[in-house]
Amino acid sequence: MKATQFKNQLMHFGEIVSTLLGKYGEEILIAINEEAIQPYVEVPASKIDSVCRFLFEAPGLYFDFLACITGIDNGPQIGTMEVIYHLNSIPLGHSFVIKVTLERGELVDELPQVPTVSDIWRTADWHEREIYDLFGIVFEGHPDMRRILMPADWEGFPLRKDYQEQLYYHGIKVAYEDRDDPGQEG
């Protein structure tokens, strides 16, 4: 597409929401928050891939850039986790934020799951792996769902609010609460 085709096609939050409602109906939007610093919509986790595909392909929307995906642990007391997607259309100049909320699984075989969007935006590959590695959220259908920052045999997910740090990893002391500086012996 030529740059001139995109002039004056900026869509605002309400227009994007209306386009989604026209495509999916009201049942797709769990929540709409226009008052947040970054207004967002919440969709069911099972529909995130379909909604994202539409936002990427729909004329007038063309969200060609996934800026980031953020994982959030709301803690064991609340019992949920969130995945937040920040989308941009570079040629059209608009942006959009989508959130999904997941039940917080406590055991390895109960980890929260959400469909991958890595087949839509290649950059999601690393974002999703980071979220898996640090929060334990599994992205179903991801082509390489394994740790990316921590060693493959690391125990637990370090950004969970109830994470218990290992004392030792392969015989090396990990926890340093008995010292001020992890680089000093003592």
Side-chain angles (χ1 to χ4, degrees):
M1 291 186 184
K2 295 180 180 178
T4 55
Q5 291 176 295
F6 293 113
K7 278 188 171 182
N8 301 320
Q9 293 183 13
L10 173 69
M11 292 181 77
H12 297 285
F13 181 79
E15 296 170 302
I16 298 167
V17 170
S18 293
T19 304
L20 281 173
L21 289 171
K23 167 73 175 172
Y24 293 100
E26 290 183 18
E27 63 277 356
I28 197 71
L29 299 180
I30 295 171
I32 301 170
N33 187 338
E34 292 185 63
E35 305 305 316
I37 293 172
Q38 292 183 318
Y40 67 87
V41 297
E42 183 175 349
V43 301
S46 63
K47 300 293 184 190
I48 190 65
D49 53 340
S50 172
V51 170
C52 285
R53 172 81 53 201
F54 174 73
L55 291 170
F56 175 70
E57 294 177 347
L61 293 176
Y62 189 55
F63 284 99
D64 60 328
F65 180 57
L66 173 66
C68 73
I69 307 174
T70 304
I72 297 173
D73 180 6
N74 294 318
Q77 300 83 359
I78 296 174
T80 61
M81 299 182 97
E82 299 173 7
V83 181
I84 302 174
Y85 302 79
H86 294 260
L87 310 176
N88 293 291
S89 173
I90 293 172
L92 300 175
H94 46 250
S95 60
F96 198 61
V97 178
I98 306 172
K99 175 173 91 168
V100 299
T101 301
L102 308 163
E103 292 297 316
R104 188 181 193 280
E106 299 303 320
L107 304 173
V108 172
D109 59 345
E110 297 176 347
L111 294 176
Q113 298 186 7
V114 63
T116 186
V117 295
S118 64
D119 57 328
I120 302 168
W121 300 286
R122 193 67 181 126
T123 189
D125 185 319
W126 284 48
H127 292 296
E128 291 175 351
R129 285 181 61 191
E130 288 174 349
I131 293 169
Y132 165 71
D133 197 4
L134 299 173
F135 290 96
I137 298 172
V138 176
F139 291 84
E140 298 171 300
H142 189 282
D144 190 14
M145 184 78 336
R146 61 188 166 101
R147 291 192 181 269
I148 192 169
L149 300 171
M150 305 302 291
D153 60 347
W154 193 261
E155 294 175 15
F157 304 100
L159 291 184
R160 281 189 169 222
K161 293 194 176 189
D162 60 351
Y163 175 67
Q164 295 295 312
E165 186 176 26
Q166 297 173 213
L167 294 177
Y168 291 90
Y169 175 72
H170 293 277
I172 300 168
K173 187 170 183 174
V174 176
Y176 294 105
E177 57 275 339
D178 60 333
R179 303 188 293 196
D180 291 334
D181 181 359
Q184 294 179 349
E185 291 297 322

